[in-house]
Amino acid sequence: MVYEVATLDIKEGSEAAFEAAVREAAPHFQKSRGCIGMSLARGVETPTRYTLLVTWESVEDHMVHFRNSPEFQEWRRLVSPYFANPPSVEHTTGVATYF
């Protein structure tokens, strides 16, 4: 299992519209090969900064299967108008759970 951690800076004043677009796009992730879960968090100190956390079975499921799918194109169509700059994306794996 891998986590896609995307940092998304959104244009000021478009936060509610962006959140609505992510809600609308969520089913496109849910039906994608290897997608296990998806969550969105909003910055407290920087309310225009969001963290999208997507759980995938593998990096390939994200980078090959999802990125080359119509679902990805629909995700980008829905949310990219709100981006203040290109997202930062990295993949992580769990090391330990303490409690």
Side-chain angles (χ1 to χ4, degrees), residues 13-45:
S14 67
E15 297 88 352
F18 170 72
E19 291 175 22
V22 173
R23 252 188 321 279
E24 185 177 346
H28 296 287
F29 282 85
Q30 189 172 22
K31 66 182 177 182
S32 294
R33 173 179 165 172
C35 188
I36 299 168
M38 173 187 173
S39 65
L40 183 68
R42 185 175 181 184
V44 174
E45 290 80 14

Side-chain angles (χ1 to χ4, degrees), residues 12-87:
E12 190 171 346
S14 67
E15 297 88 352
F18 170 72
E19 291 175 22
V22 173
R23 252 188 321 279
E24 185 177 346
H28 296 287
F29 282 85
Q30 189 172 22
K31 66 182 177 182
S32 294
R33 173 179 165 172
C35 188
I36 299 168
M38 173 187 173
S39 65
L40 183 68
R42 185 175 181 184
V44 174
E45 290 80 14
T46 309
T48 56
R49 180 164 294 151
Y50 289 81
T51 301
L52 176 71
L53 181 65
V54 185
T55 307
W56 297 96
E57 289 181 9
S58 69
V59 173
E60 181 181 24
D61 283 332
H62 174 224
M63 296 302 293
V64 176
H65 302 293
F66 181 67
R67 285 281 183 109
N68 292 310
S69 73
E71 286 78 18
F72 176 73
Q73 296 304 318
E74 187 62 11
W75 155 254
R76 289 305 293 243
R77 183 189 72 76
L78 289 166
V79 300
S80 65
Y82 306 106
F83 292 167
N85 50 53

